Amino acid sequence: MINRRQWFYRVGLIASAAAQSGSASLAAAEGVAKTERKPLDLSEYEPKSMLHVRESHVERARFAVIDFHTHISFSAKSAKGVELAPERRYLGTPQELLAVMDRKNIRAMVNLTGGYEQGLADAVGRYDLAFPGRFYTFTEPSYSRFTEPDYPKLEAQAIEQAHRSGARGLKILKTLGLYLRENITSGTLVKIDDPRFDPMWDTCGELHIPVAIHVSDPVAFFTPTDRFNERYEELNNHPDWSFYGGDFPSNTELLEARNRVIAGHPKTQFVVLHVGNYSENLENVSMNLDRFPNMSVDIAARIGELGRQPRTAAKFFDKYQDRILFATDATPHGDEFPQQVFNDKLYEIYYRFLETDDEYFDYAPAKIPPQGRWRIYGINLPEPILRKVYYENAARHLRIAT
Ligand SMILES: [Zn+2]
């Protein structure tokens, strides 16, 4: 018996020797030490590109920006993926955020995870009211009350109250569809199009506030974490991000349930986050945008996908230029997601992607590409489209002056 290393060694030697000289014997090849194949752990592989290509540094956006998708505050209490408390924990002070915003030409940030009840009022007070025009806070459903019999009515009233407290929209985390269960954290999964949420969607339409909805996740998270998975390293580092197996619905089922919600509430505006939660398939996202006039998308945490299909992405931006919102998913001081830590570098990469035709650059400021081992290409958007994507489309949803 030979061990694995010896086997690699021999196979490598034979192949290499055969390539060099058809008549070379194994004995002769054994003297050529540099043909030895050395095992290398995937996590240690950091290839440096030898390409000579232009590197633009876009320090400031060409036009004023609204970042439609950030997380400045989070729930103080959650269990099994469900947020259970109105109280907020804050990840960045207004002062430290404003310093980056001013350097990067960011007029305003939308804090999607503003919570509800007292937590929401507190977040609005600290940011929106203290710095008018710079921060907009969204509310979230109070799932902790989900088992109460009149939840549908209570939740609709909670949205009205949140609106009076200053909420500018409703945020739905992927909790709905993947974590919320009949008994909140146990029982069967609650469907995205469960009719108990109908009054909530309708109330948002009546109040003219958008629903920023995240359902599902990258499609690779619904396939086995194996050698064929293009996000293998990411899933291997975060096994709990995988929704393959168990009682999880498929990605398709989740998107179809979401589509039924959008179709069933045509007077409500839905901003479907992360490029409609299917940036790997812009044809599918386009089809849905064509079907649903009340649907828009943001680009948060998906330039890694858009930028590896730059020609398709550029056409997508051209066709849907009135329905695509600039967004990053930025989180101050978060270190779990290197592609979305709120800092200057994060914005410079987004601006480079949107404003230049640079080739083959990193989509995240990380040693190893966090979402998959590829690089991206800029799409050099024309100025009128850039203005819409950076600012005007979000301003319309937030009902602020363009
Ligand atoms: Zn987010």
Side-chain angles (χ1 to χ4, degrees), residues 76-98:
K77 187 176 157 225
S78 63
K80 295 187 178 178
V82 186
E83 298 200 341
L84 294 169
E87 291 77 31
R88 301 286 91 190
R89 63 193 161 89
Y90 296 96
L91 305 175
T93 65
Q95 289 74 14
E96 60 182 321
L97 301 178
L98 286 163

Side-chain angles (χ1 to χ4, degrees), residues 57-328:
H57 293 279
V58 187
E59 287 192 18
R60 268 177 85 75
R62 207 177 306 164
F63 307 109
V65 164
I66 296 173
D67 187 340
F68 191 78
H69 184 159
T70 73
H71 300 282
I72 300 171
S73 58
F74 268 115
S75 173
K77 187 176 157 225
S78 63
K80 295 187 178 178
V82 186
E83 298 200 341
L84 294 169
E87 291 77 31
R88 301 286 91 190
R89 63 193 161 89
Y90 296 96
L91 305 175
T93 65
Q95 289 74 14
E96 60 182 321
L97 301 178
L98 286 163
V100 176
M101 292 164 72
D102 290 342
R103 282 199 295 274
K104 296 298 164 212
N105 203 11
I106 302 165
R107 182 84 52 84
M109 277 171 74
V110 176
N111 176 22
L112 291 179
T113 33
Y116 51 96
E117 294 171 5
Q118 197 46 47
L120 171 74
D122 189 49
V124 170
R126 282 176 194 237
Y127 294 88
D128 305 29
L129 298 178
F131 300 92
R134 305 307 302 274
F135 299 100
Y136 297 99
T137 301
F138 277 33
T139 186
E140 296 171 275
S142 50
Y143 293 128
S144 54
R145 308 182 74 172
F146 183 68
T147 51
E148 293 179 27
D150 49 355
Y151 178 79
K153 199 176 95 196
L154 288 174
E155 186 53 56
Q157 288 169 350
I159 300 292
E160 284 168 3
Q161 179 54 48
H163 182 245
R164 284 194 291 274
S165 299
R168 305 300 286 254
L170 169 68
K171 165 75 199 276
I172 304 294
L173 293 165
K174 66 186 173 198
T175 308
L176 184 55
L178 287 170
Y179 296 112
L180 180 69
R181 291 171 183 273
E182 275 305 323
N183 302 310
I184 301 174
T185 57
S186 66
T188 53
L189 282 164
V190 175
K191 299 231 180 329
I192 295 164
D193 59 337
D194 189 295
R196 283 171 283 185
F197 295 109
D198 284 346
M200 175 178 81
W201 309 126
D202 287 334
T203 304
C204 290
E206 285 154 20
L207 296 170
H208 302 292
I209 57 173
V211 177
I213 183 167
H214 173 170
V215 300
S216 173
D217 246 346
V219 67
F221 290 12
F222 294 83
T223 63
T225 305
D226 62 14
R227 66 199 174 106
F228 300 112
N229 195 311
E230 67 174 356
R231 297 175 74 139
Y232 174 81
E233 286 169 291
E234 184 183 25
L235 288 165
N236 208 28
N237 290 335
H238 305 277
D240 55 318
W241 292 4
S242 173
F243 297 112
Y244 176 72
D247 64 347
F248 293 116
S250 68
N251 182 52
T252 307
E253 283 174 75
L254 291 165
L255 298 185
E256 282 175 358
R258 176 206 69 195
N259 287 349
R260 286 192 290 275
V261 171
I262 300 174
H265 303 275
K267 291 187 179 145
T268 305
Q269 289 293 328
F270 292 87
V271 181
V272 187
L273 307 175
H274 308 300
V275 196
N277 275 113
Y278 208 179
S279 48
E280 299 91 337
N281 187 343
L282 292 181
E283 201 182 334
N284 176 282
V285 182
S286 303
M287 201 175 72
N288 289 327
L289 284 164
D290 292 341
R291 282 167 68 194
F292 308 124
N294 56 329
M295 170 180 169
S296 301
V297 299
D298 86 3
I299 62 167
R302 292 296 181 274
I303 57 168
E305 299 298 334
L306 296 169
R308 64 170 167 154
Q309 45 180 330
R311 288 181 288 273
T312 306
K315 283 183 206 144
F316 181 79
F317 274 83
D318 183 59
K319 184 160 184 205
Y320 301 104
Q321 56 184 271
D322 297 307
R323 297 161 75 186
I324 301 172
L325 281 63
F326 178 86
T328 59

